[in-house]
Amino acid sequence: MNASASSSATPALHMVGVRKVYRVGDEEVVALDHADLTVAADEIVALVGPSGSGKTTLCSIAGGILSATAGSVVVGGEEISGYNDRQLTTFRQNQVGFVFQTVNLVPFLTARENLLVVDEMGRREGKPARARADRLLEELGLADRAQNLPGQLSGGQKQRVAIGRSLMNEPGLVLFDEPTSALDTELGAHVMELIRTEMKARGTSAIVVTHDERITEYCDRTVRITDGVLEA
Amino acid sequence: MKLALRELLRRPGRFVTATVILTLIAVLLMFLGGLLDGLIRNSTGAVEAQDADALVFSDTSQASFLRSRIEPETRTTIETELGVETGGLGVVLLGARVPGNGPRDLANVAVWGYELAPSGVPAPPGPGEAWADEVLEADGVSVGDRLLVGPARIPVTVVGWVENTSYNGQAGLWTGVDTWRSVLTANRPDAALDTGVFQSLVIRRGDRDLGGVSVPDAVESLFDGEVVALTVREAIEEIPGVTEQRGTFNQILGVTVVIALVVIALFFALLTVERTALYGVLKAIGARSRTIFAGLVVQAVVVTLVASAVAGLAVVVLDLVIPPGSIPLSISATRIITSVVLLLVAAVIGCAFSLRRVLKVDPASALGSSQ
Ligand SMILES: Nc1ncnc2c1ncn2[C@@H]1O[C@H](COP(=O)(O)OP(=O)(O)OP(=O)(O)O)[C@@H](O)[C@H]1O
Ligand SMILES: [Mg+2]
């Protein structure tokens, strides 16, 4: 895997020989095998592959939600492969952002509160977090929707709130799991543009999982995955 | 915390059922507790009111006023040896005819003769007079009435009211020792006591130094087992039925608290299952199980407090509405606070049953296509 030419800084993600095996009863499902992937700081990588190929699994391991069965995972210079649950929780609080495959906003919180919940559940900064939430809502064009509940928002607006939430802890790496799958083409393109702008403005790296080849245009590089195996 | 409170405010419907059930349980708990307090007070109020460091009975009496007899020499010994203040005390349980009531409509009274005034009772009234417990109002008694006490119909005039001084379920009539002695002699010749003889003695240490020995022990040490000296607390427990009543009621109250615990445990276990997806997302964005569980406890505590507040108000209103003398309900702040504390403890323990489930929620459940 070649490091991006543009950056000599610590890569946002460096995975070497990562393997993930799920045990279902007596059976073993190899979801990821010998995965080597480096995402440079500031780089946006598209991860493309058919359903069941291991995209979500790879993102979960990179984001410290799942532990790899074998291999080394270094995020922002931090080796997380040996972490216990507690250490992984702290890691997630500080180093990564997620936009999940299904929009998982808290239904009884307003858009702004959905952003602030990251701070409440995590670092508890208070005022700076509130300022950051307002700035993000502004940038994402949601300033006038800040007080709306998710049920009062359109699909695209909800996805934008989810993007805002993923950036609340100022992560070095954001993992987008099919961020546009629930949106129509035009809206999907708009959301991708927004993601690119937000990432580039912050110098944040991202992995964007997608089925859709058109989405890859908004990324710096595309990595393909088939049956748990990565190819450049 | 904020998340938990916001859910309570914005999704109150989810918590209504639990709150209503808990309110009913809290009402039951406070009402039964008040009933216990009322019953106990009805049978012990007169003893509890005694302003005494010790109450002295004769040894074979098993601390029963009606069986006990203290000779003047015993009293003299205590006074001279210990230098404490003593007061004679005696009681007789009788029916009293109330003016304006039918001849069979007797009021149950406990006629006390006393020398040292119990708390809440003025100094002994004049001959033939009595301070009456206000529960007699339910029998139609008013101040100035002349009651005819016992089969011998000894007249006793009510000169004022006192509170919470019933004994054995009979209303207190507080008289000077001579009045009491004449009521006793006329109505219960078999139990008559000579002048100077009492059923019990009230002992007040005052500022006497007994060398660190408790007053009851000091009194008993003067005799060779002929007297029993008890604190007021101990004397209350010796009143027939008190321990049994309290034991039975406390068992019922205990079961009620356990029911509250089960309700909270089930309700929040159910909520936790419903929220697995939400908790998965929260964990994925960095929430600790501790933080999530704390939110659950906050919700249980708020639900319990709301239920307790409504229940507390309900029993206070009930207490005001129920006429005195009909149901022996005694609602006190102590009883309400105790009930609330018990319910809060039940709430927290109830929540603890969901702790394992909260810990088990996998942040990975936030991922993938399944909600
Ligand atoms: N918790 C699990 N237990 C067992 N097997 C699993 C689990 N999660 C995923 N798998 C299996 O691992 C493989 C990779 O799954 P993964 O969710 O990473 O795929 P994906 O590329 O994200 O698919 P999709 O595009 O449908 O979201 C699949 O064969 C899947 O069945
Ligand atoms: Mg997936």
Side-chain angles (χ1 to χ4, degrees):
Chain A
M1 211 55 33
N2 300 319
S4 160
S6 66
S7 175
S8 58
T10 320
L13 172 69
H14 188 63
M15 287 173 122
V16 182
V18 170
R19 179 176 164 85
K20 179 67 187 177
V21 181
Y22 290 107
R23 275 200 181 76
V24 185
D26 290 340
E27 262 183 74
E28 289 193 342
V29 180
V30 180
L32 208 57
D33 205 6
H34 297 104
D36 298 335
L37 176 63
T38 302
V39 178
D42 202 5
E43 191 181 28
I44 301 176
V45 172
L47 182 62
V48 184
S51 185
S53 56
K55 305 183 296 291
T56 296
T57 304
L58 187 142
C59 283
S60 315
I61 290 173
I65 281 183
L66 286 178
S67 295
T69 312
S72 152
V73 182
V74 181
V75 182
E78 192 176 346
E79 169 71 69
I80 64 165
S81 32
Y83 275 10
N84 61 25
D85 284 355
R86 202 187 160 73
Q87 290 169 313
L88 283 175
T89 302
T90 310
F91 165 76
R92 289 197 300 271
Q93 267 179 20
N94 298 306
Q95 305 298 332
V96 286
F98 292 98
V99 173
F100 303 107
Q101 197 158 358
T102 41
V103 180
N104 278 316
L105 299 179
V106 181
F108 51 85
L109 295 184
T110 65
R112 184 167 183 268
E113 289 161 356
N114 260 289
L115 263 57
L116 290 173
V117 86
V118 175
D119 185 56
E120 189 196 329
M121 293 287 139
R123 294 193 241 163
R124 296 176 175 278
E125 291 173 320
K127 208 171 169 202
R130 286 195 290 277
R132 201 176 316 131
D134 291 333
R135 200 175 59 241
L136 278 167
L137 288 168
E138 182 77 47
E139 286 172 17
L140 294 163
L142 289 167
D144 57 338
R145 289 277 171 258
Q147 302 308 324
N148 287 53
L149 295 170
Q152 303 163 327
L153 298 175
S154 71
Q157 287 167 337
K158 276 190 259 194
Q159 196 59 276
R160 279 185 274 160
V161 175
I163 293 168
R165 183 173 69 180
S166 73
L167 291 168
M168 269 303 285
N169 58 344
E170 302 177 301
L173 175 68
V174 184
L175 303 154
F176 295 90
D177 198 354
E178 313 219 16
T180 60
S181 60
L183 308 177
D184 64 39
T185 320
E186 201 179 327
L187 212 53
H190 177 68
V191 165
M192 274 315 297
E193 253 170 61
L194 206 57
I195 289 176
R196 189 172 172 89
T197 318
E198 289 296 326
M199 294 303 118
K200 291 301 174 191
R202 286 178 169 70
T204 302
S205 317
I207 298 179
V208 182
V209 170
T210 182
H211 281 107
D212 189 345
E213 290 292 343
R214 280 168 297 185
I215 297 300
T216 59
E217 291 167 26
Y218 296 91
C219 303
D220 299 324
R221 182 158 68 97
T222 300
V223 172
R224 291 177 196 282
I225 182 168
T226 325
D227 289 337
V229 178
L230 288 172
E231 49 198 272
Chain B
M1 177 92 166
K2 261 196 218 154
L3 183 71
L5 292 177
R6 287 212 171 97
E7 186 178 17
L8 274 168
L9 284 175
R10 296 191 190 157
R11 293 266 195 274
R14 307 188 85 171
F15 302 92
V16 165
T17 320
T19 312
V20 168
I21 296 173
L22 272 177
T23 305
L24 295 175
I25 293 174
V27 168
L28 192 65
L29 197 63
M30 292 171 188
F31 184 79
L32 287 175
L35 210 54
L36 168 64
D37 292 343
L39 281 171
I40 298 280
R41 199 179 64 189
N42 267 359
S43 52
T44 68
V47 179
E48 192 159 10
Q50 293 303 324
D51 180 8
D53 295 305
L55 290 170
V56 182
F57 300 89
S58 55
D59 72 321
T60 53
S61 66
Q62 291 171 299
S64 155
F65 285 96
L66 306 173
R67 280 193 291 260
S68 177
R69 147 190 294 261
I70 301 286
E71 302 296 334
E73 300 80 60
T74 310
R75 183 174 184 175
T76 315
T77 310
I78 295 172
E79 283 180 353
T80 48
E81 293 293 324
L82 300 179
V84 294
E85 192 181 9
T86 69
L89 189 64
V91 64
V92 56
L93 304 177
L94 293 164
R97 275 189 68 175
V98 179
N101 286 6
R104 279 159 206 262
D105 193 6
L106 297 179
N108 292 321
V109 294
V111 181
W112 291 88
Y114 69 105
E115 294 177 334
L116 296 179
S119 49
V121 179
E129 294 178 345
W131 306 111
D133 195 288
E134 63 176 6
V135 296
L136 281 172
E137 275 184 296
D139 290 297
V141 176
S142 7
V143 172
D145 281 357
R146 206 155 146 266
L147 308 180
L148 300 175
V149 179
R153 299 199 181 182
I154 305 298
V156 172
T157 306
V158 173
V159 292
W161 295 121
V162 293
E163 283 175 33
N164 299 337
T165 62
S166 293
Y167 177 68
N168 232 334
Q170 316 224 145
L173 272 186
W174 296 84
T175 67
V177 289
D178 295 332
T179 309
W180 160 71
R181 211 179 292 281
S182 58
V183 169
L184 178 65
T185 310
N187 289 296
R188 296 266 184 274
D190 53 314
L193 297 175
D194 291 337
T195 307
V197 181
F198 289 95
Q199 292 168 347
S200 176
L201 288 181
V202 169
I203 309 289
R204 285 191 194 156
R205 186 170 65 89
D207 44 18
R208 281 293 295 192
D209 182 8
L210 298 177
V213 182
S214 76
V215 180
D217 287 351
V219 171
E220 286 185 356
S221 69
L222 299 176
F223 302 95
D224 200 12
E226 300 101 47
V227 306
V228 176
L230 303 173
T231 61
V232 170
R233 282 272 132 239
E234 290 165 342
I236 289 171
E237 296 305 316
E238 293 296 331
I239 296 170
V242 167
T243 334
E244 292 82 353
Q245 262 178 12
R246 193 173 283 142
T248 310
F249 266 87
N250 281 342
Q251 277 172 26
I252 300 174
L253 294 177
V255 169
T256 313
V257 173
V258 170
I259 292 174
L261 193 155
V262 170
V263 166
I264 291 173
L266 284 177
F267 180 74
F268 280 94
L270 219 66
L271 269 191
T272 311
V273 172
E274 271 178 35
R275 290 176 185 154
T276 310
L278 170 64
Y279 288 168
V281 176
L282 294 181
K283 284 193 174 188
I285 62 175
R288 299 196 183 286
S289 295
R290 172 168 17 111
T291 315
I292 293 173
F293 182 67
L296 208 62
V297 172
V298 164
Q299 289 182 337
V301 165
V302 170
V303 165
T304 308
L305 286 178
V306 170
S308 299
V310 177
L313 203 69
V315 291
V316 166
V317 169
L318 213 58
D319 192 30
L320 293 176
V321 168
I322 292 173
S326 58
I327 297 177
L329 187 66
S330 157
I331 297 300
S332 62
T334 320
R335 176 55 70 179
I336 291 181
I337 292 167
T338 314
S339 306
V340 175
V341 170
L342 283 173
L343 287 172
L344 286 176
V345 171
V348 174
I349 298 176
C351 278
F353 286 98
S354 297
L355 180 58
R356 207 173 58 95
R357 210 178 288 276
V358 170
L359 289 171
K360 255 176 47 187
V361 172
D362 189 348
S365 62
L367 294 147
S369 44
S370 63
Q371 177 76 38

